[in-house]
DNA sequence: GTAATAAGTTAGATTAAACTAACTAATTTA
DNA sequence: TAAATTAGTTAGTTTAATCTAACTTATTAC
């Protein structure tokens, strides 16, 4: 079994890895808020456990085994978030920090029960895909709202940043997943978008916000 | 905050402490499967944190603060067991090892939601009392089935040992909490009891088993 | 009431996971 | 391309939590 610390490294590596499956020590260090020498030594340890390919000064890569273990932790995290929202009545802004802890629970049955009670969901409350039991995870082809043009009508399908503050901001604007959004106007100066949705006609959303909203065609 | 290790010591201390609130280093050591010198050094640490009264060679005692923290962990454990049985469909024999992990989750709201969804239960699936939010916990005045006499009729209200094997044994005999039991005969030689309950007329229960079944008047 | 046994402590070692300081390699800038 | 900057490594330290070996105190047995 892997320790809690090891699990956190694996998860961070998977979520940071680029299309080639590569991550840098520096990025990992920043994400985990752990200094680089500590990351280096953990990489050597994970390499000895065949979870990571490690060569000095080269980008880091998860092995297939490492990728699967990481995906399984993310699966547990996202199932938990879904369970907390759907079965326990939490808001989507409250679940991440609880899921960060629950994801480390060692009990296949516990997460199988969650999965079953939820009806085998494919997406978590923030629109992120839940890896399947084989560790397979596919992101749909979303666009950022910030990349849309005036007059486009799209559906809000996922959010990039899942920080409590950002989600509370979305709550305050009555924005939630599945909503139809229409881009009314884009301010050229700062890219602020005026968007209509639900009963709101011209809500102003800053570029910072629009970059974090993932949408798809209606 | 207390570490996972510290929480486990506090919990073990509360569950082992006698009517005077005392525990020995040796008992703690055995319960936690941790050697005595390690226990001694942890006691000094908990003493520095004002969670334990520690004096060399004297019995150990929790402070009021320590007792409350321990009770709160037991509260989280038992609420979890109840939630797993009532809301997630686990058997009473499966929940202890999962609860051992979930009890360390740091989120008051998580356990408040459980409590509310369960309708503020007073007992866990094994008949043990769930400490209230102030850390108060009272055991009802149960007797052991082994102390009953022939012809007595009692209700099975709790079990002492909650090991998976023991609970699976009870399942195999179709024994569960709340059942009415009638003592038909007590074998003088080995104290085996012949008991009738449900559709069973003369089930033989060994002394070892009867000592672990807590009953009350019907 | 002493000797044997059990319980508890002290001292020192080990491991995991973090750190800082100092160094080296790779990349970017001018 | 040489200098400056950034990224990564090595060496050594720290803290929490465990251990063993050796010693001391308390309890039990005779
Ligand atoms: Mn999350
Ligand atoms: Mn999520
Ligand atoms: Mn239990
Ligand atoms: Mn229980």
């Amino acid at each position: 079994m892997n320790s809690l610390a090891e699990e956190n490294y694996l998860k961070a590596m998977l979520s940071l890895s680029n299309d080639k499956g590569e991550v840098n020590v520096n990025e990992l260090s920043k994400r985990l808020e752990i200094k680089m020498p500590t990351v280096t030594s953990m990489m050597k340890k994970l390499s000895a456990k065949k979870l990571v390919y490690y060569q000095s000064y080269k980008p880091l890569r998860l092995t297939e085994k490492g990728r699967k273990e990481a995906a399984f932790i993310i699966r547990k995290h996202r199932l938990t978030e879904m369970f907390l929202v759907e079965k326990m009545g939490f808001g989507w802004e409250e679940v991440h920090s609880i899921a960060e802890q629950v994801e480390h629970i060692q009990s296949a049955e516990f997460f199988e029960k969650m999965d079953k009670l939820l009806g085998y969901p494919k997406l978590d409350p923030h629109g992120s895909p839940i890896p399947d039991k084989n560790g397979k995870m596919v992101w749909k082809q979303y666009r950022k709202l910030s990349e849309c043009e005036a007059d486009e009508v799209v559906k809000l399908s996922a959010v990039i940043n899942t920080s409590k503050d950002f989600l509370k901001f979305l709550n305050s604007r009555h924005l939630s997943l599945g909503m139809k959004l229409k881009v009314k106007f884009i301010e050229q100066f700062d890219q602020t978008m005026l968007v209509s949705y639900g009963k709101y006609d011209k809500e102003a959303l800053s570029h910072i916000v629009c970059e974090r909203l993932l949408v798809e065609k209606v």
Side-chain angles (χ1 to χ4, degrees), chain A:
Chain A
M1 253 321 87
N2 302 313
S3 68
L4 194 143
E6 289 167 343
E7 291 198 343
N8 284 332
Y9 280 92
L10 293 174
K11 189 166 63 113
M13 286 182 76
L14 182 55
S15 86
L16 287 173
S17 57
N18 63 20
D19 46 351
K20 286 183 205 150
E22 296 175 343
V23 208
N24 300 321
V25 173
N26 193 249
E27 294 163 357
L28 250 189
S29 167
K30 280 173 185 149
R31 165 67 65 94
L32 294 167
E33 295 183 271
I34 284 170
K35 297 290 182 293
M36 289 204 293
T38 308
V39 173
T40 297
S41 72
M42 181 58 93
M43 288 305 110
K44 289 176 177 172
K45 188 174 161 197
L46 293 177
S47 171
K49 294 179 81 172
K50 306 281 183 202
L51 295 165
V52 164
Y53 295 117
Y54 175 77
Q55 288 176 280
S56 299
Y57 298 102
K58 297 276 169 64
L60 307 166
R61 236 153 23 85
L62 288 169
T63 63
E64 183 54 24
K65 188 179 167 212
R67 217 209 86 262
K68 276 196 173 152
E69 304 215 4
F72 192 55
I73 300 160
I74 291 177
R75 173 176 164 80
K76 294 195 286 180
H77 180 101
R78 294 185 178 159
L79 277 175
T80 300
E81 289 189 343
M82 203 62 181
F83 189 86
L84 292 172
V85 167
E86 295 296 318
K87 301 296 173 185
M88 296 187 73
F90 282 95
W92 68 343
E93 78 284 4
E94 304 177 286
V95 299
H96 179 77
S97 63
I98 300 175
E100 285 286 313
Q101 300 177 67
V102 175
E103 71 191 5
H104 301 289
I105 301 244
Q106 303 294 332
S107 167
E109 305 76 40
F110 182 55
F111 295 98
E112 303 232 329
K113 280 265 158 63
M114 272 191 191
D115 198 20
K116 188 173 184 182
L117 288 166
L118 288 167
Y120 310 103
K122 293 267 184 298
L123 300 173
D124 86 359
H126 311 104
S128 302
I130 297 173
D132 70 20
K133 284 184 195 166
N134 305 310
K136 190 162 187 176
M137 163 172 53
V138 269
W139 273 94
K140 268 207 201 174
Q141 306 286 312
Y142 298 130
R143 291 156 67 209
K144 293 176 179 170
L145 178 60
S146 58
E147 292 163 0
C148 294
E149 290 166 26
D151 292 327
E152 271 195 78
V153 179
V154 292
K155 187 176 81 173
L156 177 58
S157 296
V159 292
I160 284 182
N161 185 300
T162 63
S163 77
K164 193 161 190 162
D165 282 347
F166 178 59
L167 296 172
K168 281 167 84 172
F169 164 79
L170 296 183
N171 286 345
S172 74
R173 298 302 183 92
H174 302 90
L175 277 164
S176 58
L177 298 192
M179 274 185 162
K180 205 168 291 180
L181 310 181
K182 180 168 186 186
V183 179
K184 286 296 200 61
F185 180 75
I186 304 171
E187 177 58 58
Q188 290 310 302
F189 175 63
D190 64 357
Q191 323 275 55
T192 292
M193 286 176 147
L194 296 185
V195 180
S196 72
Y197 56 87
K199 5 178 202 184
Y200 301 88
D201 193 42
K202 273 184 185 164
E203 284 289 306
L205 299 175
S206 75
H207 189 61
I208 299 268
V209 169
C210 296
E211 271 197 299
R212 294 171 177 192
L213 299 178
L214 298 179
V215 300
E216 63 187 311
K217 281 215 190 83
V218 281

PDB file of all heavy atoms in Angstrom, chain A residues 137-163:
ATOM      1  N   MET A 137     -10.111   7.678 -18.022  1.00  0.00           N
ATOM      2  CA  MET A 137     -10.783   8.966 -17.809  1.00  0.00           C
ATOM      3  C   MET A 137     -10.690   9.789 -19.068  1.00  0.00           C
ATOM      4  O   MET A 137      -9.596   9.981 -19.595  1.00  0.00           O
ATOM      5  CB  MET A 137     -10.099   9.697 -16.652  1.00  0.00           C
ATOM      6  CG  MET A 137     -10.409  11.179 -16.575  1.00  0.00           C
ATOM      7  SD  MET A 137      -9.767  11.983 -15.076  1.00  0.00           S
ATOM      8  CE  MET A 137      -8.055  11.524 -15.077  1.00  0.00           C
ATOM      9  N   VAL A 138     -11.820  10.241 -19.591  1.00  0.00           N
ATOM     10  CA  VAL A 138     -11.782  11.087 -20.786  1.00  0.00           C
ATOM     11  C   VAL A 138     -12.525  12.392 -20.564  1.00  0.00           C
ATOM     12  O   VAL A 138     -13.663  12.400 -20.098  1.00  0.00           O
ATOM     13  CB  VAL A 138     -12.402  10.393 -22.030  1.00  0.00           C
ATOM     14  CG1 VAL A 138     -11.333   9.650 -22.802  1.00  0.00           C
ATOM     15  CG2 VAL A 138     -13.551   9.468 -21.640  1.00  0.00           C
ATOM     16  N   TRP A 139     -11.851  13.469 -20.895  1.00  0.00           N
ATOM     17  CA  TRP A 139     -12.476  14.790 -20.849  1.00  0.00           C
ATOM     18  C   TRP A 139     -13.198  15.024 -22.158  1.00  0.00           C
ATOM     19  O   TRP A 139     -12.651  14.787 -23.239  1.00  0.00           O
ATOM     20  CB  TRP A 139     -11.408  15.884 -20.680  1.00  0.00           C
ATOM     21  CG  TRP A 139     -11.048  16.162 -19.253  1.00  0.00           C
ATOM     22  CD1 TRP A 139     -10.023  15.605 -18.557  1.00  0.00           C
ATOM     23  CD2 TRP A 139     -11.701  17.083 -18.372  1.00  0.00           C
ATOM     24  NE1 TRP A 139     -10.005  16.123 -17.273  1.00  0.00           N
ATOM     25  CE2 TRP A 139     -11.019  17.035 -17.126  1.00  0.00           C
ATOM     26  CE3 TRP A 139     -12.804  17.953 -18.501  1.00  0.00           C
ATOM     27  CZ2 TRP A 139     -11.397  17.810 -16.017  1.00  0.00           C
ATOM     28  CZ3 TRP A 139     -13.170  18.716 -17.394  1.00  0.00           C
ATOM     29  CH2 TRP A 139     -12.483  18.652 -16.171  1.00  0.00           C
ATOM     30  N   LYS A 140     -14.433  15.507 -22.068  1.00  0.00           N
ATOM     31  CA  LYS A 140     -15.132  15.929 -23.292  1.00  0.00           C
ATOM     32  C   LYS A 140     -14.410  17.126 -23.878  1.00  0.00           C
ATOM     33  O   LYS A 140     -13.635  17.797 -23.214  1.00  0.00           O
ATOM     34  CB  LYS A 140     -16.567  16.339 -22.924  1.00  0.00           C
ATOM     35  CG  LYS A 140     -17.592  15.232 -23.027  1.00  0.00           C
ATOM     36  CD  LYS A 140     -18.949  15.889 -23.307  1.00  0.00           C
ATOM     37  CE  LYS A 140     -20.115  15.012 -22.952  1.00  0.00           C
ATOM     38  NZ  LYS A 140     -21.390  15.750 -23.100  1.00  0.00           N
ATOM     39  N   GLN A 141     -14.703  17.414 -25.137  1.00  0.00           N
ATOM     40  CA  GLN A 141     -14.059  18.545 -25.822  1.00  0.00           C
ATOM     41  C   GLN A 141     -14.773  19.846 -25.497  1.00  0.00           C
ATOM     42  O   GLN A 141     -15.559  20.358 -26.294  1.00  0.00           O
ATOM     43  CB  GLN A 141     -14.102  18.323 -27.342  1.00  0.00           C
ATOM     44  CG  GLN A 141     -13.521  16.996 -27.799  1.00  0.00           C
ATOM     45  CD  GLN A 141     -12.015  16.983 -27.734  1.00  0.00           C
ATOM     46  OE1 GLN A 141     -11.364  17.914 -28.195  1.00  0.00           O
ATOM     47  NE2 GLN A 141     -11.436  15.944 -27.136  1.00  0.00           N
ATOM     48  N   TYR A 142     -14.469  20.392 -24.337  1.00  0.00           N
ATOM     49  CA  TYR A 142     -15.110  21.654 -23.983  1.00  0.00           C
ATOM     50  C   TYR A 142     -14.306  22.844 -24.516  1.00  0.00           C
ATOM     51  O   TYR A 142     -13.116  22.738 -24.786  1.00  0.00           O
ATOM     52  CB  TYR A 142     -15.217  21.795 -22.467  1.00  0.00           C
ATOM     53  CG  TYR A 142     -16.067  20.741 -21.799  1.00  0.00           C
ATOM     54  CD1 TYR A 142     -15.587  20.044 -20.706  1.00  0.00           C
ATOM     55  CD2 TYR A 142     -17.363  20.492 -22.248  1.00  0.00           C
ATOM     56  CE1 TYR A 142     -16.374  19.095 -20.064  1.00  0.00           C
ATOM     57  CE2 TYR A 142     -18.159  19.544 -21.618  1.00  0.00           C
ATOM     58  CZ  TYR A 142     -17.650  18.840 -20.530  1.00  0.00           C
ATOM     59  OH  TYR A 142     -18.433  17.917 -19.903  1.00  0.00           O
ATOM     60  N   ARG A 143     -14.967  23.986 -24.619  1.00  0.00           N
ATOM     61  CA  ARG A 143     -14.270  25.247 -24.892  1.00  0.00           C
ATOM     62  C   ARG A 143     -14.437  26.130 -23.664  1.00  0.00           C
ATOM     63  O   ARG A 143     -15.361  25.947 -22.886  1.00  0.00           O
ATOM     64  CB  ARG A 143     -14.926  25.969 -26.080  1.00  0.00           C
ATOM     65  CG  ARG A 143     -14.724  25.277 -27.398  1.00  0.00           C
ATOM     66  CD  ARG A 143     -15.833  25.672 -28.356  1.00  0.00           C
ATOM     67  NE  ARG A 143     -15.772  27.082 -28.735  1.00  0.00           N
ATOM     68  CZ  ARG A 143     -16.860  27.802 -29.071  1.00  0.00           C
ATOM     69  NH1 ARG A 143     -18.072  27.265 -29.046  1.00  0.00           N
ATOM     70  NH2 ARG A 143     -16.722  29.074 -29.431  1.00  0.00           N
ATOM     71  N   LYS A 144     -13.539  27.094 -23.562  1.00  0.00           N
ATOM     72  CA  LYS A 144     -13.716  28.074 -22.498  1.00  0.00           C
ATOM     73  C   LYS A 144     -14.755  29.087 -22.948  1.00  0.00           C
ATOM     74  O   LYS A 144     -14.786  29.457 -24.134  1.00  0.00           O
ATOM     75  CB  LYS A 144     -12.384  28.799 -22.222  1.00  0.00           C
ATOM     76  CG  LYS A 144     -11.332  27.908 -21.634  1.00  0.00           C
ATOM     77  CD  LYS A 144     -10.007  28.650 -21.459  1.00  0.00           C
ATOM     78  CE  LYS A 144      -8.980  27.728 -20.831  1.00  0.00           C
ATOM     79  NZ  LYS A 144      -7.615  28.318 -20.871  1.00  0.00           N
ATOM     80  N   LEU A 145     -15.544  29.566 -22.027  1.00  0.00           N
ATOM     81  CA  LEU A 145     -16.526  30.599 -22.383  1.00  0.00           C
ATOM     82  C   LEU A 145     -15.803  31.812 -22.972  1.00  0.00           C
ATOM     83  O   LEU A 145     -16.295  32.446 -23.914  1.00  0.00           O
ATOM     84  CB  LEU A 145     -17.334  31.022 -21.149  1.00  0.00           C
ATOM     85  CG  LEU A 145     -18.364  32.142 -21.384  1.00  0.00           C
ATOM     86  CD1 LEU A 145     -19.402  31.743 -22.424  1.00  0.00           C
ATOM     87  CD2 LEU A 145     -19.053  32.536 -20.075  1.00  0.00           C
ATOM     88  N   SER A 146     -14.602  32.077 -22.447  1.00  0.00           N
ATOM     89  CA  SER A 146     -13.826  33.239 -22.919  1.00  0.00           C
ATOM     90  C   SER A 146     -13.470  33.151 -24.405  1.00  0.00           C
ATOM     91  O   SER A 146     -13.131  34.147 -25.028  1.00  0.00           O
ATOM     92  CB  SER A 146     -12.551  33.375 -22.088  1.00  0.00           C
ATOM     93  OG  SER A 146     -11.788  32.184 -22.182  1.00  0.00           O
ATOM     94  N   GLU A 147     -13.539  31.954 -24.968  1.00  0.00           N
ATOM     95  CA  GLU A 147     -13.199  31.788 -26.385  1.00  0.00           C
ATOM     96  C   GLU A 147     -14.423  31.910 -27.303  1.00  0.00           C
ATOM     97  O   GLU A 147     -14.301  31.808 -28.517  1.00  0.00           O
ATOM     98  CB  GLU A 147     -12.521  30.422 -26.601  1.00  0.00           C
ATOM     99  CG  GLU A 147     -11.143  30.344 -25.952  1.00  0.00           C
ATOM    100  CD  GLU A 147     -10.652  28.901 -25.789  1.00  0.00           C
ATOM    101  OE1 GLU A 147     -11.384  27.957 -26.181  1.00  0.00           O
ATOM    102  OE2 GLU A 147      -9.550  28.726 -25.235  1.00  0.00           O
ATOM    103  N   CYS A 148     -15.582  32.067 -26.690  1.00  0.00           N
ATOM    104  CA  CYS A 148     -16.796  32.171 -27.510  1.00  0.00           C
ATOM    105  C   CYS A 148     -16.930  33.578 -28.097  1.00  0.00           C
ATOM    106  O   CYS A 148     -16.293  34.521 -27.647  1.00  0.00           O
ATOM    107  CB  CYS A 148     -18.028  31.853 -26.663  1.00  0.00           C
ATOM    108  SG  CYS A 148     -18.044  30.140 -26.115  1.00  0.00           S
ATOM    109  N   GLU A 149     -17.775  33.651 -29.133  1.00  0.00           N
ATOM    110  CA  GLU A 149     -17.985  34.951 -29.763  1.00  0.00           C
ATOM    111  C   GLU A 149     -19.347  35.525 -29.403  1.00  0.00           C
ATOM    112  O   GLU A 149     -20.198  34.811 -28.865  1.00  0.00           O
ATOM    113  CB  GLU A 149     -17.876  34.779 -31.288  1.00  0.00           C
ATOM    114  CG  GLU A 149     -16.444  34.493 -31.704  1.00  0.00           C
ATOM    115  CD  GLU A 149     -16.341  33.984 -33.138  1.00  0.00           C
ATOM    116  OE1 GLU A 149     -17.239  34.304 -33.952  1.00  0.00           O
ATOM    117  OE2 GLU A 149     -15.379  33.249 -33.433  1.00  0.00           O
ATOM    118  N   ALA A 150     -19.531  36.773 -29.704  1.00  0.00           N
ATOM    119  CA  ALA A 150     -20.810  37.420 -29.416  1.00  0.00           C
ATOM    120  C   ALA A 150     -21.930  36.674 -30.135  1.00  0.00           C
ATOM    121  O   ALA A 150     -21.729  36.129 -31.219  1.00  0.00           O
ATOM    122  CB  ALA A 150     -20.779  38.881 -29.853  1.00  0.00           C
ATOM    123  N   ASP A 151     -23.085  36.592 -29.486  1.00  0.00           N
ATOM    124  CA  ASP A 151     -24.297  35.932 -30.009  1.00  0.00           C
ATOM    125  C   ASP A 151     -24.270  34.404 -29.917  1.00  0.00           C
ATOM    126  O   ASP A 151     -25.281  33.770 -30.225  1.00  0.00           O
ATOM    127  CB  ASP A 151     -24.591  36.348 -31.457  1.00  0.00           C
ATOM    128  CG  ASP A 151     -25.001  37.815 -31.525  1.00  0.00           C
ATOM    129  OD1 ASP A 151     -25.640  38.281 -30.549  1.00  0.00           O
ATOM    130  OD2 ASP A 151     -24.659  38.481 -32.507  1.00  0.00           O
ATOM    131  N   GLU A 152     -23.168  33.827 -29.514  1.00  0.00           N
ATOM    132  CA  GLU A 152     -23.164  32.363 -29.363  1.00  0.00           C
ATOM    133  C   GLU A 152     -24.029  31.940 -28.186  1.00  0.00           C
ATOM    134  O   GLU A 152     -24.091  32.625 -27.165  1.00  0.00           O
ATOM    135  CB  GLU A 152     -21.741  31.842 -29.113  1.00  0.00           C
ATOM    136  CG  GLU A 152     -20.989  31.509 -30.392  1.00  0.00           C
ATOM    137  CD  GLU A 152     -19.761  30.663 -30.100  1.00  0.00           C
ATOM    138  OE1 GLU A 152     -19.930  29.441 -29.884  1.00  0.00           O
ATOM    139  OE2 GLU A 152     -18.652  31.225 -30.080  1.00  0.00           O
ATOM    140  N   VAL A 153     -24.671  30.794 -28.334  1.00  0.00           N
ATOM    141  CA  VAL A 153     -25.442  30.216 -27.241  1.00  0.00           C
ATOM    142  C   VAL A 153     -24.798  28.871 -26.884  1.00  0.00           C
ATOM    143  O   VAL A 153     -24.619  28.020 -27.760  1.00  0.00           O
ATOM    144  CB  VAL A 153     -26.923  30.005 -27.618  1.00  0.00           C
ATOM    145  CG1 VAL A 153     -27.688  29.384 -26.456  1.00  0.00           C
ATOM    146  CG2 VAL A 153     -27.552  31.330 -28.014  1.00  0.00           C
ATOM    147  N   VAL A 154     -24.433  28.702 -25.639  1.00  0.00           N
ATOM    148  CA  VAL A 154     -23.727  27.474 -25.228  1.00  0.00           C
ATOM    149  C   VAL A 154     -24.272  26.973 -23.898  1.00  0.00           C
ATOM    150  O   VAL A 154     -25.018  27.670 -23.211  1.00  0.00           O
ATOM    151  CB  VAL A 154     -22.215  27.747 -25.078  1.00  0.00           C
ATOM    152  CG1 VAL A 154     -21.567  28.031 -26.418  1.00  0.00           C
ATOM    153  CG2 VAL A 154     -21.978  28.888 -24.093  1.00  0.00           C
ATOM    154  N   LYS A 155     -23.856  25.755 -23.545  1.00  0.00           N
ATOM    155  CA  LYS A 155     -24.271  25.185 -22.253  1.00  0.00           C
ATOM    156  C   LYS A 155     -23.070  25.155 -21.313  1.00  0.00           C
ATOM    157  O   LYS A 155     -21.993  24.720 -21.720  1.00  0.00           O
ATOM    158  CB  LYS A 155     -24.793  23.760 -22.463  1.00  0.00           C
ATOM    159  CG  LYS A 155     -25.406  23.147 -21.216  1.00  0.00           C
ATOM    160  CD  LYS A 155     -26.003  21.771 -21.496  1.00  0.00           C
ATOM    161  CE  LYS A 155     -24.921  20.695 -21.505  1.00  0.00           C
ATOM    162  NZ  LYS A 155     -25.478  19.334 -21.598  1.00  0.00           N
ATOM    163  N   LEU A 156     -23.270  25.609 -20.081  1.00  0.00           N
ATOM    164  CA  LEU A 156     -22.198  25.561 -19.089  1.00  0.00           C
ATOM    165  C   LEU A 156     -22.054  24.120 -18.608  1.00  0.00           C
ATOM    166  O   LEU A 156     -22.990  23.545 -18.051  1.00  0.00           O
ATOM    167  CB  LEU A 156     -22.525  26.481 -17.912  1.00  0.00           C
ATOM    168  CG  LEU A 156     -21.514  26.488 -16.757  1.00  0.00           C
ATOM    169  CD1 LEU A 156     -20.126  26.873 -17.237  1.00  0.00           C
ATOM    170  CD2 LEU A 156     -21.975  27.437 -15.661  1.00  0.00           C
ATOM    171  N   SER A 157     -20.903  23.503 -18.839  1.00  0.00           N
ATOM    172  CA  SER A 157     -20.757  22.072 -18.569  1.00  0.00           C
ATOM    173  C   SER A 157     -19.750  21.713 -17.493  1.00  0.00           C
ATOM    174  O   SER A 157     -19.813  20.620 -16.923  1.00  0.00           O
ATOM    175  CB  SER A 157     -20.386  21.335 -19.849  1.00  0.00           C
ATOM    176  OG  SER A 157     -21.443  21.452 -20.782  1.00  0.00           O
ATOM    177  N   ALA A 158     -18.796  22.584 -17.249  1.00  0.00           N
ATOM    178  CA  ALA A 158     -17.806  22.273 -16.210  1.00  0.00           C
ATOM    179  C   ALA A 158     -17.106  23.555 -15.788  1.00  0.00           C
ATOM    180  O   ALA A 158     -17.176  24.565 -16.483  1.00  0.00           O
ATOM    181  CB  ALA A 158     -16.785  21.257 -16.729  1.00  0.00           C
ATOM    182  N   VAL A 159     -16.454  23.484 -14.634  1.00  0.00           N
ATOM    183  CA  VAL A 159     -15.661  24.629 -14.178  1.00  0.00           C
ATOM    184  C   VAL A 159     -14.226  24.163 -13.985  1.00  0.00           C
ATOM    185  O   VAL A 159     -13.994  23.019 -13.602  1.00  0.00           O
ATOM    186  CB  VAL A 159     -16.217  25.207 -12.858  1.00  0.00           C
ATOM    187  CG1 VAL A 159     -17.575  25.841 -13.091  1.00  0.00           C
ATOM    188  CG2 VAL A 159     -16.307  24.139 -11.782  1.00  0.00           C
ATOM    189  N   ILE A 160     -13.281  25.062 -14.300  1.00  0.00           N
ATOM    190  CA  ILE A 160     -11.881  24.674 -14.174  1.00  0.00           C
ATOM    191  C   ILE A 160     -11.414  24.788 -12.737  1.00  0.00           C
ATOM    192  O   ILE A 160     -10.970  23.846 -12.124  1.00  0.00           O
ATOM    193  CB  ILE A 160     -10.988  25.528 -15.098  1.00  0.00           C
ATOM    194  CG1 ILE A 160     -11.154  25.026 -16.549  1.00  0.00           C
ATOM    195  CG2 ILE A 160      -9.526  25.394 -14.689  1.00  0.00           C
ATOM    196  CD1 ILE A 160     -10.283  25.760 -17.534  1.00  0.00           C
ATOM    197  N   ASN A 161     -11.547  25.952 -12.178  1.00  0.00           N
ATOM    198  CA  ASN A 161     -11.104  26.176 -10.814  1.00  0.00           C
ATOM    199  C   ASN A 161     -12.223  25.729  -9.875  1.00  0.00           C
ATOM    200  O   ASN A 161     -13.370  26.090 -10.056  1.00  0.00           O
ATOM    201  CB  ASN A 161     -10.838  27.671 -10.641  1.00  0.00           C
ATOM    202  CG  ASN A 161     -10.267  27.987  -9.297  1.00  0.00           C
ATOM    203  OD1 ASN A 161     -10.890  27.726  -8.280  1.00  0.00           O
ATOM    204  ND2 ASN A 161      -9.084  28.556  -9.281  1.00  0.00           N
ATOM    205  N   THR A 162     -11.885  24.909  -8.886  1.00  0.00           N
ATOM    206  CA  THR A 162     -12.958  24.462  -7.994  1.00  0.00           C
ATOM    207  C   THR A 162     -12.738  25.001  -6.579  1.00  0.00           C
ATOM    208  O   THR A 162     -13.166  24.407  -5.604  1.00  0.00           O
ATOM    209  CB  THR A 162     -13.074  22.921  -7.977  1.00  0.00           C
ATOM    210  OG1 THR A 162     -11.860  22.389  -7.456  1.00  0.00           O
ATOM    211  CG2 THR A 162     -13.321  22.377  -9.355  1.00  0.00           C
ATOM    212  N   SER A 163     -12.070  26.153  -6.491  1.00  0.00           N
ATOM    213  CA  SER A 163     -11.871  26.744  -5.162  1.00  0.00           C
ATOM    214  C   SER A 163     -13.210  27.215  -4.603  1.00  0.00           C
ATOM    215  O   SER A 163     -14.118  27.595  -5.337  1.00  0.00           O
ATOM    216  CB  SER A 163     -10.896  27.914  -5.243  1.00  0.00           C
ATOM    217  OG  SER A 163     -11.557  29.037  -5.780  1.00  0.00           O
TER     218      SER A 163
END
